[in-house]
Amino acid sequence: MSTVVTERRSQGPPIRQTQLFIDGQWTPSRSGNTFTTIDPATEEVIAQVAEGDAADVEMAVRAARRAFDDGPWPRMNARERGRIMLRLADLIEAEIDELAALEALDNGKPVRDARTGDIPLALDCLRYYAGWADKIHGQTIPINGDYFCYTRREPVGVAGQIIPWNFPILMVAWKWGPALAAGCTIVMKPAEQTPLTCLRLARLAQEAGVPDGVINVVPGYGPTAGAAIVRHPGIDKVAFTGSGETAQVIMRQAADHLKRLTFELGGKSPNIVFADADLDAAAAGAHVGIYLNQGQCCCAGSRLFVEDRIHDAFVERVVAESRSRRVGDPFDPATQQGPQVDRAQFDKIMGYVEAGRREGATLATGGGRVGERGFFIEPTVFTNVRDEMAIAREEIFGPVLSVLRFSDVDELIRRANATSFGLAAAVWTRDVARAHDVARRLRAGTVWVNCYDVFDAAAPFGGFKQSGFGRELGEKGLEPYLEHKTVTVSLA
Ligand code: ADP
Protein backbone atom coordinates (compact mmCIF):
# COMPACT_ATOMS: atom_id res chain seq x y z
CA MET A 1 0.00 0.00 0.00
CA SER A 2 1.25 3.46 -0.79
CA THR A 3 1.42 6.43 1.54
CA VAL A 4 -1.84 7.55 3.04
CA VAL A 5 -1.33 11.30 2.84
CA THR A 6 0.42 12.10 -0.39
CA GLU A 7 0.82 15.85 -0.16
CA ARG A 8 1.93 18.35 2.39
CA ARG A 9 -1.17 20.14 3.54
CA SER A 10 -1.26 23.63 2.13
CA GLN A 11 -4.68 24.34 3.59
CA GLY A 12 -3.88 23.49 7.20
CA PRO A 13 -5.20 25.56 10.08
CA PRO A 14 -3.16 28.62 11.10
CA ILE A 15 -0.70 28.04 13.94
CA ARG A 16 -1.28 31.10 16.08
CA GLN A 17 0.26 30.34 19.48
CA THR A 18 3.59 28.60 20.07
CA GLN A 19 4.94 30.39 23.13
CA LEU A 20 4.44 29.95 26.86
CA PHE A 21 1.39 31.63 28.35
CA ILE A 22 2.30 33.08 31.74
CA ASP A 23 0.44 35.81 33.63
CA GLY A 24 -1.53 36.72 30.54
CA GLN A 25 1.61 37.20 28.41
CA TRP A 26 3.04 35.16 25.55
CA THR A 27 6.74 34.61 26.17
CA PRO A 28 9.58 32.48 24.85
CA SER A 29 11.07 30.03 27.35
CA ARG A 30 13.78 31.49 29.57
CA SER A 31 16.30 29.03 28.11
CA GLY A 32 15.25 30.02 24.59
CA ASN A 33 14.78 26.33 23.79
CA THR A 34 12.01 25.04 21.57
CA PHE A 35 10.76 21.60 20.62
CA THR A 36 9.12 20.35 17.46
CA THR A 37 5.61 19.12 17.20
CA ILE A 38 4.89 16.93 14.21
CA ASP A 39 1.96 15.89 12.05
CA PRO A 40 1.68 12.15 12.71
CA ALA A 41 0.02 11.59 9.33
CA THR A 42 3.01 12.91 7.37
CA GLU A 43 5.82 12.97 9.97
CA GLU A 44 6.43 16.57 8.93
CA VAL A 45 7.16 19.37 11.37
CA ILE A 46 4.14 21.54 12.15
CA ALA A 47 5.78 24.08 14.43
CA GLN A 48 8.50 24.85 16.92
CA VAL A 49 7.03 25.38 20.37
CA ALA A 50 8.67 27.10 23.33
CA GLU A 51 10.06 24.45 25.67
CA GLY A 52 9.38 25.32 29.28
CA ASP A 53 11.42 23.98 32.17
CA ALA A 54 11.80 24.63 35.89
CA ALA A 55 12.63 28.33 35.42
CA ASP A 56 9.44 28.90 33.44
CA VAL A 57 7.37 26.86 35.85
CA GLU A 58 8.73 29.10 38.60
CA MET A 59 7.33 32.16 36.80
CA ALA A 60 4.04 30.42 36.09
CA VAL A 61 3.59 29.33 39.70
CA ARG A 62 4.36 32.84 40.93
CA ALA A 63 1.71 34.23 38.60
CA ALA A 64 -0.84 31.62 39.60
CA ARG A 65 -0.03 32.16 43.27
CA ARG A 66 -0.52 35.92 42.97
CA ALA A 67 -3.75 35.40 41.06
CA PHE A 68 -4.98 33.08 43.77
CA ASP A 69 -3.70 34.88 46.88
CA ASP A 70 -4.48 38.46 45.83
CA GLY A 71 -6.30 38.38 42.50
CA PRO A 72 -9.95 38.74 41.61
CA TRP A 73 -10.72 35.19 40.48
CA PRO A 74 -11.41 33.44 43.79
CA ARG A 75 -13.03 36.61 45.14
CA MET A 76 -15.38 37.64 42.38
CA ASN A 77 -19.08 36.86 42.48
CA ALA A 78 -19.35 33.16 41.79
CA ARG A 79 -21.98 33.78 39.13
CA GLU A 80 -19.57 36.05 37.26
CA ARG A 81 -16.98 33.23 37.22
CA GLY A 82 -19.65 31.04 35.69
CA ARG A 83 -20.45 33.68 33.07
CA ILE A 84 -16.79 33.94 32.03
CA MET A 85 -16.62 30.17 31.68
CA LEU A 86 -19.74 30.22 29.51
CA ARG A 87 -18.13 32.89 27.35
CA LEU A 88 -15.07 30.67 26.96
CA ALA A 89 -17.30 27.83 25.77
CA ASP A 90 -19.00 30.17 23.28
CA LEU A 91 -15.64 31.34 21.90
CA ILE A 92 -14.50 27.74 21.49
CA GLU A 93 -17.73 26.89 19.72
CA ALA A 94 -17.32 29.85 17.37
CA GLU A 95 -13.90 28.46 16.38
CA ILE A 96 -14.88 24.82 16.29
CA ASP A 97 -13.73 24.22 12.72
CA GLU A 98 -10.31 25.74 13.21
CA LEU A 99 -9.82 23.98 16.54
CA ALA A 100 -10.90 20.62 15.13
CA ALA A 101 -8.41 21.03 12.28
CA LEU A 102 -5.62 21.98 14.68
CA GLU A 103 -6.41 18.97 16.86
CA ALA A 104 -6.41 16.65 13.86
CA LEU A 105 -3.13 18.07 12.62
CA ASP A 106 -1.28 17.78 15.93
CA ASN A 107 -2.80 14.54 17.22
CA GLY A 108 -3.74 12.65 14.03
CA LYS A 109 -7.33 12.00 14.99
CA PRO A 110 -9.94 12.32 12.22
CA VAL A 111 -11.06 15.92 12.00
CA ARG A 112 -14.65 14.69 11.96
CA ASP A 113 -14.16 13.00 15.35
CA ALA A 114 -12.70 16.16 16.86
CA ARG A 115 -15.54 18.22 15.39
CA THR A 116 -18.40 15.93 16.45
CA GLY A 117 -16.94 14.23 19.52
CA ASP A 118 -14.05 15.81 21.40
CA ILE A 119 -15.02 19.46 21.10
CA PRO A 120 -18.77 19.09 21.80
CA LEU A 121 -17.85 17.07 24.90
CA ALA A 122 -15.38 19.76 25.94
CA LEU A 123 -18.04 22.47 25.51
CA ASP A 124 -20.47 20.43 27.54
CA CYS A 125 -17.93 20.02 30.30
CA LEU A 126 -17.11 23.74 30.51
CA ARG A 127 -20.80 24.68 30.50
CA TYR A 128 -21.65 22.03 33.07
CA TYR A 129 -18.99 23.33 35.47
CA ALA A 130 -19.91 26.94 34.71
CA GLY A 131 -23.27 25.99 36.18
CA TRP A 132 -21.57 24.76 39.34
CA ALA A 133 -19.68 28.00 40.01
CA ASP A 134 -22.51 29.55 42.07
CA LYS A 135 -23.74 26.30 43.58
CA ILE A 136 -20.74 25.42 45.71
CA HIS A 137 -21.90 25.87 49.25
CA GLY A 138 -21.53 24.39 52.72
CA GLN A 139 -23.85 23.21 55.43
CA THR A 140 -25.06 24.33 58.85
CA ILE A 141 -24.46 21.62 61.41
CA PRO A 142 -26.37 21.22 64.71
CA ILE A 143 -23.42 20.48 67.01
CA ASN A 144 -23.72 20.03 70.79
CA GLY A 145 -23.66 23.17 72.94
CA ASP A 146 -24.41 26.81 72.35
CA TYR A 147 -22.69 27.16 69.01
CA PHE A 148 -23.44 28.00 65.44
CA CYS A 149 -21.45 25.63 63.24
CA TYR A 150 -21.22 25.83 59.49
CA THR A 151 -18.94 24.66 56.71
CA ARG A 152 -17.49 26.56 53.80
CA ARG A 153 -16.13 25.02 50.63
CA GLU A 154 -13.12 26.95 49.45
CA PRO A 155 -10.84 26.53 46.44
CA VAL A 156 -7.82 24.32 47.13
CA GLY A 157 -5.44 26.93 45.67
CA VAL A 158 -3.08 26.62 42.73
CA ALA A 159 -3.70 23.49 40.70
CA GLY A 160 -0.90 21.88 38.68
CA GLN A 161 -2.49 20.04 35.79
CA ILE A 162 -0.57 17.62 33.61
CA ILE A 163 -2.39 16.12 30.66
CA PRO A 164 -1.75 13.52 27.96
CA TRP A 165 -1.91 13.70 24.16
CA ASN A 166 -4.86 11.44 23.34
CA PHE A 167 -7.68 13.98 23.84
CA PRO A 168 -5.86 17.31 24.11
CA ILE A 169 -8.86 19.68 24.00
CA LEU A 170 -11.12 17.45 26.04
CA MET A 171 -8.49 16.98 28.74
CA VAL A 172 -8.12 20.74 29.02
CA ALA A 173 -11.88 21.05 29.57
CA TRP A 174 -11.94 18.23 32.14
CA LYS A 175 -9.15 19.95 34.06
CA TRP A 176 -10.03 23.63 33.69
CA GLY A 177 -13.79 23.18 34.18
CA PRO A 178 -13.85 22.11 37.83
CA ALA A 179 -10.75 24.14 38.78
CA LEU A 180 -12.17 27.39 37.39
CA ALA A 181 -15.63 26.79 38.87
CA ALA A 182 -14.05 26.21 42.29
CA GLY A 183 -12.04 29.45 42.07
CA CYS A 184 -8.62 27.83 41.73
CA THR A 185 -5.80 29.11 39.55
CA ILE A 186 -3.90 26.85 37.18
CA VAL A 187 -0.47 25.89 35.88
CA MET A 188 -1.00 23.44 33.06
CA LYS A 189 1.45 21.37 31.09
CA PRO A 190 0.06 19.89 27.88
CA ALA A 191 1.69 16.78 26.46
CA GLU A 192 4.82 17.40 24.40
CA GLN A 193 3.21 15.59 21.44
CA THR A 194 0.16 17.89 21.30
CA PRO A 195 0.70 21.39 22.71
CA LEU A 196 -1.09 23.46 20.06
CA THR A 197 -4.78 23.37 20.93
CA CYS A 198 -4.13 23.93 24.64
CA LEU A 199 -2.26 27.13 23.79
CA ARG A 200 -5.10 28.24 21.52
CA LEU A 201 -7.59 27.63 24.35
CA ALA A 202 -5.49 29.76 26.69
CA ARG A 203 -5.84 32.62 24.21
CA LEU A 204 -9.60 32.13 24.08
CA ALA A 205 -9.80 32.03 27.89
CA GLN A 206 -8.07 35.41 28.01
CA GLU A 207 -10.51 36.76 25.43
CA ALA A 208 -13.41 35.41 27.50
CA GLY A 209 -12.24 37.47 30.46
CA VAL A 210 -10.29 35.01 32.59
CA PRO A 211 -7.97 37.34 34.53
CA ASP A 212 -4.22 37.24 33.96
CA GLY A 213 -2.41 34.60 36.00
CA VAL A 214 -5.48 32.40 36.49
CA ILE A 215 -4.53 30.07 33.63
CA ASN A 216 -0.85 29.58 32.81
CA VAL A 217 0.34 27.10 30.19
CA VAL A 218 3.89 25.76 30.13
CA PRO A 219 4.50 23.33 27.26
CA GLY A 220 7.54 21.12 27.67
CA TYR A 221 8.67 17.65 28.66
CA GLY A 222 7.58 15.57 31.63
CA PRO A 223 10.84 15.11 33.53
CA THR A 224 11.61 18.86 33.28
CA ALA A 225 8.49 21.05 33.12
CA GLY A 226 6.15 18.35 34.49
CA ALA A 227 8.40 17.42 37.39
CA ALA A 228 8.91 21.10 38.25
CA ILE A 229 5.15 21.52 38.62
CA VAL A 230 4.92 18.45 40.82
CA ARG A 231 7.78 19.55 43.07
CA HIS A 232 6.97 23.23 43.40
CA PRO A 233 5.88 24.17 46.93
CA GLY A 234 3.59 26.85 45.50
CA ILE A 235 1.36 24.22 43.89
CA ASP A 236 -1.36 22.92 46.21
CA LYS A 237 -2.78 20.14 44.11
CA VAL A 238 -1.71 18.05 41.14
CA ALA A 239 -4.21 16.55 38.71
CA PHE A 240 -2.59 14.09 36.35
CA THR A 241 -3.82 11.99 33.47
CA GLY A 242 -1.31 9.63 31.91
CA SER A 243 0.57 6.42 32.58
CA GLY A 244 0.81 4.52 35.84
CA GLU A 245 4.62 4.65 35.78
CA THR A 246 4.60 8.45 35.64
CA ALA A 247 1.93 8.57 38.36
CA GLN A 248 4.24 6.61 40.66
CA VAL A 249 7.05 9.10 40.08
CA ILE A 250 4.65 12.00 40.68
CA MET A 251 3.30 10.47 43.87
CA ARG A 252 6.78 10.12 45.32
CA GLN A 253 7.76 13.65 44.36
CA ALA A 254 4.51 15.14 45.61
CA ALA A 255 5.07 13.55 49.00
CA ASP A 256 7.52 16.28 50.07
CA HIS A 257 4.77 18.87 50.30
CA LEU A 258 1.88 16.45 50.83
CA LYS A 259 0.20 17.71 47.71
CA ARG A 260 -3.33 16.65 46.99
CA LEU A 261 -3.36 14.26 44.06
CA THR A 262 -5.85 12.94 41.55
CA PHE A 263 -4.82 10.40 38.96
CA GLU A 264 -6.58 9.11 35.89
CA LEU A 265 -4.41 6.32 34.50
CA GLY A 266 -4.52 3.32 32.25
CA GLY A 267 -6.82 0.40 31.74
CA LYS A 268 -7.31 -3.02 30.22
CA SER A 269 -11.06 -2.94 30.19
CA PRO A 270 -13.16 -6.07 29.72
CA ASN A 271 -15.95 -5.82 27.14
CA ILE A 272 -18.22 -8.81 27.80
CA VAL A 273 -20.65 -10.22 25.26
CA PHE A 274 -23.21 -12.80 26.39
CA ALA A 275 -24.93 -15.05 23.85
CA ASP A 276 -28.34 -13.45 24.49
CA ALA A 277 -27.14 -9.92 23.61
CA ASP A 278 -28.32 -7.84 20.68
CA LEU A 279 -25.38 -8.98 18.61
CA ASP A 280 -25.59 -6.14 16.08
CA ALA A 281 -25.25 -3.63 18.88
CA ALA A 282 -22.58 -5.69 20.64
CA ALA A 283 -20.48 -5.97 17.48
CA ALA A 284 -20.72 -2.22 16.95
CA GLY A 285 -19.81 -1.73 20.63
CA ALA A 286 -16.81 -4.04 20.34
CA HIS A 287 -15.64 -2.02 17.33
CA VAL A 288 -16.02 1.41 18.91
CA GLY A 289 -14.77 0.09 22.25
CA ILE A 290 -11.37 -0.80 20.84
CA TYR A 291 -10.90 1.48 17.84
CA LEU A 292 -12.18 4.86 19.02
CA ASN A 293 -9.37 7.41 18.81
CA GLN A 294 -7.03 4.90 17.10
CA GLY A 295 -7.27 2.74 20.22
CA GLN A 296 -5.63 5.50 22.24
CA CYS A 297 -8.22 5.54 25.03
CA CYS A 298 -7.53 4.72 28.65
CA CYS A 299 -10.96 3.06 28.76
CA ALA A 300 -10.55 1.07 25.52
CA GLY A 301 -12.41 -2.25 25.58
CA SER A 302 -9.23 -4.11 24.77
CA ARG A 303 -10.23 -7.48 26.24
CA LEU A 304 -13.29 -8.75 24.39
CA PHE A 305 -14.81 -11.66 26.33
CA VAL A 306 -17.23 -13.59 24.12
CA GLU A 307 -19.50 -16.37 25.38
CA ASP A 308 -18.56 -19.75 24.02
CA ARG A 309 -21.87 -20.44 22.24
CA ILE A 310 -21.60 -17.46 19.91
CA HIS A 311 -17.84 -17.04 19.89
CA ASP A 312 -16.96 -18.05 16.35
CA ALA A 313 -19.83 -16.31 14.57
CA PHE A 314 -19.42 -13.16 16.64
CA VAL A 315 -15.68 -12.99 16.12
CA GLU A 316 -16.22 -13.37 12.38
CA ARG A 317 -18.34 -10.21 12.46
CA VAL A 318 -15.85 -8.29 14.55
CA VAL A 319 -13.07 -9.26 12.17
CA ALA A 320 -15.12 -8.34 9.08
CA GLU A 321 -15.95 -4.93 10.54
CA SER A 322 -12.31 -4.39 11.44
CA ARG A 323 -11.31 -5.10 7.86
CA SER A 324 -13.77 -2.54 6.52
CA ARG A 325 -12.62 0.22 8.86
CA ARG A 326 -11.32 3.13 6.81
CA VAL A 327 -7.80 4.08 7.81
CA GLY A 328 -6.56 7.24 6.19
CA ASP A 329 -5.94 10.95 6.09
CA PRO A 330 -7.43 12.59 9.20
CA PHE A 331 -8.61 15.44 6.98
CA ASP A 332 -10.68 13.17 4.73
CA PRO A 333 -14.25 13.23 6.09
CA ALA A 334 -14.64 9.52 5.23
CA THR A 335 -11.72 8.51 7.45
CA GLN A 336 -12.53 6.52 10.58
CA GLN A 337 -9.00 5.97 11.80
CA GLY A 338 -5.96 8.21 11.56
CA PRO A 339 -2.35 7.57 12.54
CA GLN A 340 -1.06 6.84 16.04
CA VAL A 341 0.28 9.95 17.72
CA ASP A 342 4.02 9.39 17.26
CA ARG A 343 6.76 6.93 16.44
CA ALA A 344 7.21 5.81 20.05
CA GLN A 345 3.57 4.77 20.29
CA PHE A 346 3.70 3.18 16.84
CA ASP A 347 6.74 1.12 17.82
CA LYS A 348 5.24 0.12 21.15
CA ILE A 349 2.04 -1.12 19.50
CA MET A 350 3.93 -3.04 16.81
CA GLY A 351 5.98 -4.60 19.62
CA TYR A 352 2.76 -5.91 21.17
CA VAL A 353 1.62 -7.29 17.82
CA GLU A 354 4.90 -9.16 17.65
CA ALA A 355 4.49 -10.37 21.25
CA GLY A 356 0.98 -11.64 20.49
CA ARG A 357 2.29 -13.68 17.56
CA ARG A 358 5.22 -14.98 19.58
CA GLU A 359 3.03 -16.04 22.48
CA GLY A 360 0.81 -18.06 20.17
CA ALA A 361 -2.32 -15.95 19.74
CA THR A 362 -3.99 -16.10 16.31
CA LEU A 363 -3.72 -12.94 14.26
CA ALA A 364 -7.22 -12.89 12.75
CA THR A 365 -6.75 -9.61 10.90
CA GLY A 366 -4.40 -6.63 10.68
CA GLY A 367 -1.06 -6.44 12.43
CA GLY A 368 0.68 -4.34 9.81
CA ARG A 369 1.57 -0.79 9.01
CA VAL A 370 -0.58 1.15 6.56
CA GLY A 371 1.46 3.14 4.04
CA GLU A 372 5.13 4.07 4.28
CA ARG A 373 4.83 7.45 5.88
CA GLY A 374 2.87 8.43 8.97
CA PHE A 375 2.12 6.20 11.94
CA PHE A 376 -0.86 4.30 10.55
CA ILE A 377 -1.64 0.80 11.87
CA GLU A 378 -4.21 -1.67 10.58
CA PRO A 379 -7.16 -2.48 12.83
CA THR A 380 -5.91 -5.66 14.46
CA VAL A 381 -7.70 -8.59 16.10
CA PHE A 382 -6.06 -11.45 17.97
CA THR A 383 -8.12 -14.54 18.77
CA ASN A 384 -7.22 -17.55 20.92
CA VAL A 385 -5.75 -15.15 23.43
CA ARG A 386 -4.95 -16.58 26.85
CA ASP A 387 -5.21 -14.53 30.04
CA GLU A 388 -1.50 -14.72 30.81
CA MET A 389 -0.34 -13.31 27.45
CA ALA A 390 1.09 -9.80 27.41
CA ILE A 391 -1.61 -8.68 24.94
CA ALA A 392 -4.26 -9.71 27.49
CA ARG A 393 -2.59 -8.08 30.49
CA GLU A 394 -0.85 -4.90 29.39
CA GLU A 395 -2.24 -1.68 28.02
CA ILE A 396 -1.39 -1.49 24.32
CA PHE A 397 -2.99 1.90 23.63
CA GLY A 398 -3.53 1.13 19.99
CA PRO A 399 -5.98 -0.53 17.57
CA VAL A 400 -5.30 -4.06 18.81
CA LEU A 401 -8.11 -6.21 20.19
CA SER A 402 -7.62 -9.39 22.22
CA VAL A 403 -10.54 -11.81 22.07
CA LEU A 404 -11.04 -14.25 24.94
CA ARG A 405 -13.63 -17.00 25.25
CA PHE A 406 -15.77 -17.73 28.32
CA SER A 407 -18.58 -20.07 29.32
CA ASP A 408 -19.26 -19.66 33.05
CA VAL A 409 -20.25 -16.34 34.68
CA ASP A 410 -18.30 -16.79 37.93
CA GLU A 411 -15.19 -17.73 36.02
CA LEU A 412 -15.77 -14.77 33.70
CA ILE A 413 -15.94 -12.31 36.61
CA ARG A 414 -12.78 -13.71 38.14
CA ARG A 415 -10.90 -13.37 34.85
CA ALA A 416 -12.32 -9.94 34.03
CA ASN A 417 -11.19 -8.69 37.45
CA ALA A 418 -7.79 -10.40 37.31
CA THR A 419 -5.98 -7.21 36.33
CA SER A 420 -4.25 -4.44 38.21
CA PHE A 421 -6.43 -1.95 36.30
CA GLY A 422 -10.04 -1.03 37.01
CA LEU A 423 -11.06 1.89 34.84
CA ALA A 424 -14.01 0.67 32.80
CA ALA A 425 -15.94 -2.38 31.66
CA ALA A 426 -18.97 -3.21 29.55
CA VAL A 427 -21.51 -5.98 29.46
CA TRP A 428 -23.87 -6.89 26.61
CA THR A 429 -26.94 -8.96 27.49
CA ARG A 430 -30.74 -8.81 27.30
CA ASP A 431 -31.03 -10.32 30.77
CA VAL A 432 -31.63 -7.39 33.11
CA ALA A 433 -30.77 -9.23 36.30
CA ARG A 434 -27.53 -10.54 34.85
CA ALA A 435 -26.58 -7.08 33.58
CA HIS A 436 -26.92 -5.56 37.05
CA ASP A 437 -25.31 -8.53 38.74
CA VAL A 438 -22.24 -8.37 36.49
CA ALA A 439 -22.11 -4.58 36.80
CA ARG A 440 -22.06 -4.98 40.58
CA ARG A 441 -19.31 -7.59 40.57
CA LEU A 442 -16.91 -5.92 38.13
CA ARG A 443 -14.16 -3.94 39.86
CA ALA A 444 -14.15 -0.86 37.64
CA GLY A 445 -14.98 2.83 37.95
CA THR A 446 -17.39 2.79 35.01
CA VAL A 447 -19.56 -0.07 33.74
CA TRP A 448 -21.48 0.36 30.50
CA VAL A 449 -24.45 -1.92 29.87
CA ASN A 450 -25.37 -2.44 26.22
CA CYS A 451 -23.31 0.59 25.25
CA TYR A 452 -19.67 1.71 25.23
CA ASP A 453 -17.80 5.00 25.59
CA VAL A 454 -20.84 6.94 26.73
CA PHE A 455 -19.54 10.03 28.48
CA ASP A 456 -21.40 12.89 30.09
CA ALA A 457 -20.04 15.87 31.98
CA ALA A 458 -22.45 15.07 34.83
CA ALA A 459 -21.35 11.45 35.32
CA PRO A 460 -18.15 10.79 37.31
CA PHE A 461 -15.29 8.97 35.63
CA GLY A 462 -12.18 7.42 37.15
CA GLY A 463 -10.49 4.26 38.21
CA PHE A 464 -10.46 1.50 40.79
CA LYS A 465 -7.12 -0.08 41.67
CA GLN A 466 -4.12 1.09 39.62
CA SER A 467 -6.30 3.00 37.17
CA GLY A 468 -6.11 5.96 39.51
CA PHE A 469 -7.90 7.72 42.30
CA GLY A 470 -10.26 10.61 42.59
CA ARG A 471 -12.95 11.17 40.01
CA GLU A 472 -13.35 13.63 37.17
CA LEU A 473 -16.65 15.03 35.88
CA GLY A 474 -19.86 15.44 37.81
CA GLU A 475 -20.08 16.81 41.32
CA LYS A 476 -17.39 14.31 42.35
CA GLY A 477 -15.00 15.97 39.92
CA LEU A 478 -15.34 19.25 41.74
CA GLU A 479 -14.35 17.82 45.12
CA PRO A 480 -10.59 17.58 44.52
CA TYR A 481 -10.51 21.33 43.84
CA LEU A 482 -12.18 22.23 47.12
CA GLU A 483 -11.20 22.34 50.77
CA HIS A 484 -13.84 22.08 53.49
CA LYS A 485 -13.64 24.57 56.32
CA THR A 486 -15.62 24.17 59.54
CA VAL A 487 -16.47 27.42 61.34
CA THR A 488 -17.75 27.20 64.91
CA VAL A 489 -19.14 30.34 66.53
CA SER A 490 -19.91 30.62 70.22
CA LEU A 491 -23.37 32.00 70.82
CA ALA A 492 -22.81 32.33 74.57
P1 ADP B 1 2.16 8.60 27.85
O1 ADP B 1 2.95 7.34 27.94
O2 ADP B 1 0.75 8.40 27.49
O3 ADP B 1 2.82 9.69 27.05
P2 ADP B 1 2.99 9.86 30.27
O4 ADP B 1 2.56 9.50 31.64
O5 ADP B 1 4.40 9.65 29.90
O6 ADP B 1 2.00 9.07 29.33
O7 ADP B 1 2.64 11.37 29.93
C1 ADP B 1 1.48 12.04 30.34
C2 ADP B 1 1.86 13.45 30.71
O8 ADP B 1 2.74 13.40 31.83
C3 ADP B 1 2.60 14.23 29.62
O9 ADP B 1 2.19 15.59 29.68
C4 ADP B 1 4.04 14.07 30.05
O10 ADP B 1 4.89 15.10 29.57
C5 ADP B 1 3.92 14.14 31.56
N1 ADP B 1 5.05 13.55 32.31
C6 ADP B 1 5.88 12.56 31.92
N2 ADP B 1 6.80 12.31 32.87
C7 ADP B 1 6.56 13.17 33.90
C8 ADP B 1 7.17 13.42 35.18
N3 ADP B 1 8.22 12.72 35.60
N4 ADP B 1 6.63 14.37 35.96
C9 ADP B 1 5.55 15.07 35.57
N5 ADP B 1 4.96 14.90 34.38
C10 ADP B 1 5.43 13.96 33.54
Side-chain angles (χ1 to χ4, degrees):
M1 191 155 185
S2 63
T3 50
V4 178
V5 182
T6 48
E7 280 171 39
R8 178 95 172 87
R9 299 181 223 293
S10 50
Q11 299 294 317
I15 313 298
R16 301 179 195 272
Q17 281 83 28
T18 56
Q19 294 192 310
L20 316 178
F21 184 66
I22 296 176
D23 210 10
Q25 306 290 322
W26 296 96
T27 62
S29 61
R30 300 202 107 194
S31 67
N33 291 346
T34 60
F35 65 101
T36 45
T37 185
I38 57 141
D39 172 357
T42 61
E43 303 179 43
E44 284 167 3
V45 173
I46 305 170
Q48 295 291 330
V49 176
E51 183 195 332
D53 61 22
D56 306 290
V57 167
E58 178 63 38
M59 303 305 289
V61 174
R62 274 191 215 168
R65 207 59 267 169
R66 265 196 312 275
F68 183 77
D69 294 334
D70 308 314
W73 189 249
R75 289 164 195 85
M76 72 172 59
N77 287 338
R79 208 156 297 153
E80 178 58 17
R81 269 208 309 276
R83 266 199 298 271
I84 292 172
M85 293 175 68
L86 290 174
R87 265 204 302 275
L88 170 58
D90 290 346
L91 291 176
I92 293 172
E93 195 162 34
E95 275 197 11
I96 192 166
D97 290 323
E98 184 176 320
L99 274 166
L102 197 56
E103 192 82 322
L105 187 66
D106 211 8
N107 167 280
K109 69 178 65 204
V111 68
R112 202 184 53 173
D113 288 5
R115 176 81 175 65
T116 61
D118 303 45
I119 300 179
L121 283 170
L123 293 172
D124 221 37
C125 177
L126 288 171
R127 288 175 175 144
Y128 171 82
Y129 280 113
W132 266 110
D134 62 355
K135 296 168 193 69
I136 298 169
H137 42 66
Q139 298 173 313
T140 58
I141 302 174
I143 64 170
N144 285 344
D146 202 8
Y147 300 102
F148 168 46
C149 178
Y150 63 95
T151 59
R152 290 171 49 79
R153 292 162 89 201
E154 300 180 357
V156 73
V158 177
Q161 303 185 321
I162 300 172
I163 56 171
W165 45 262
N166 57 344
F167 293 96
I169 292 175
L170 189 58
M171 290 299 103
V172 168
W174 283 25
K175 296 286 184 282
W176 288 3
L180 292 176
C184 292
T185 62
I186 293 166
V187 177
M188 171 167 273
K189 193 195 85 62
E192 55 273 26
Q193 296 87 344
T194 54
L196 296 176
T197 46
C198 178
L199 291 169
R200 182 74 199 138
L201 294 179
R203 171 75 191 115
L204 297 180
Q206 185 174 46
E207 241 175 276
V210 174
D212 291 351
V214 172
I215 294 174
N216 305 276
V217 179
V218 183
Y221 291 99
T224 49
I229 290 173
V230 173
R231 287 206 203 98
H232 201 294
I235 299 262
D236 298 292
K237 180 233 162 11
V238 174
F240 170 77
T241 300
S243 65
E245 296 75 36
T246 303
Q248 291 181 353
V249 173
I250 290 177
M251 204 164 171
R252 287 192 194 100
Q253 293 181 340
D256 286 349
H257 301 102
L258 286 174
K259 292 202 172 83
R260 283 108 181 90
L261 295 173
T262 41
F263 287 147
E264 205 264 89
L265 311 174
K268 192 74 189 176
S269 299
N271 191 3
I272 300 162
V273 182
F274 284 97
D276 72 338
D278 173 342
L279 296 181
D280 292 338
H287 190 89
V288 166
I290 186 63
Y291 295 129
L292 182 77
N293 207 37
Q294 294 64 248
Q296 301 166 144
C297 296
C298 46
C299 57
S302 50
R303 287 186 295 155
L304 182 67
F305 285 95
V306 183
E307 191 169 1
D308 213 21
R309 279 194 289 140
I310 54 156
H311 178 278
D312 293 356
F314 188 77
V315 167
E316 215 171 280
R317 291 185 63 160
V318 170
V319 167
E321 287 178 26
S322 298
R323 287 199 178 118
S324 66
R325 187 169 176 78
R326 286 187 300 272
V327 180
D329 183 352
F331 285 85
D332 179 342
T335 291
Q336 295 173 296
Q337 183 171 313
Q340 310 309 128
V341 78
D342 65 7
R343 176 160 305 278
Q345 290 297 320
F346 176 89
D347 289 344
K348 179 181 155 202
I349 295 161
M350 293 310 254
Y352 276 111
V353 171
E354 190 43 46
R357 281 205 180 105
R358 214 176 34 241
E359 290 184 305
T362 307
L363 183 61
T365 187
R369 183 176 193 175
V370 179
E372 291 117 34
R373 195 174 61 149
F375 308 117
F376 297 89
I377 295 181
E378 289 175 323
T380 300
V381 179
F382 276 107
T383 56
N384 296 316
V385 178
R386 290 192 313 277
D387 295 353
E388 67 276 13
M389 292 178 180
I391 57 169
R393 286 186 294 106
E394 296 170 22
E395 186 174 43
I396 299 175
F397 227 62
V400 181
L401 180 65
S402 297
V403 184
L404 303 116
R405 190 189 284 265
F406 76 92
S407 48
D408 172 74
V409 178
D410 293 335
E411 173 228 47
L412 162 77
I413 299 286
R414 188 186 50 70
R415 291 169 65 199
N417 285 335
T419 163
S420 56
F421 296 114
L423 192 58
V427 51
W428 301 82
T429 177
R430 286 194 169 99
D431 180 334
V432 175
R434 182 156 64 190
H436 288 290
D437 178 50
V438 172
R440 171 177 63 176
R441 292 165 72 188
L442 287 168
R443 303 270 300 151
T446 290
V447 180
W448 288 295
V449 177
N450 296 332
C451 56
Y452 209 98
D453 280 335
V454 177
F455 283 92
D456 191 286
F461 180 76
F464 281 27
K465 300 194 266 182
Q466 290 182 32
S467 288
F469 44 79
R471 291 291 177 269
E472 297 192 280
L473 304 182
E475 186 175 2
K476 286 269 171 271
L478 205 51
E479 285 291 323
Y481 292 94
L482 295 168
E483 293 283 12
H484 288 247
K485 179 181 283 175
T486 303
V487 181
T488 304
V489 184
S490 169
L491 299 179

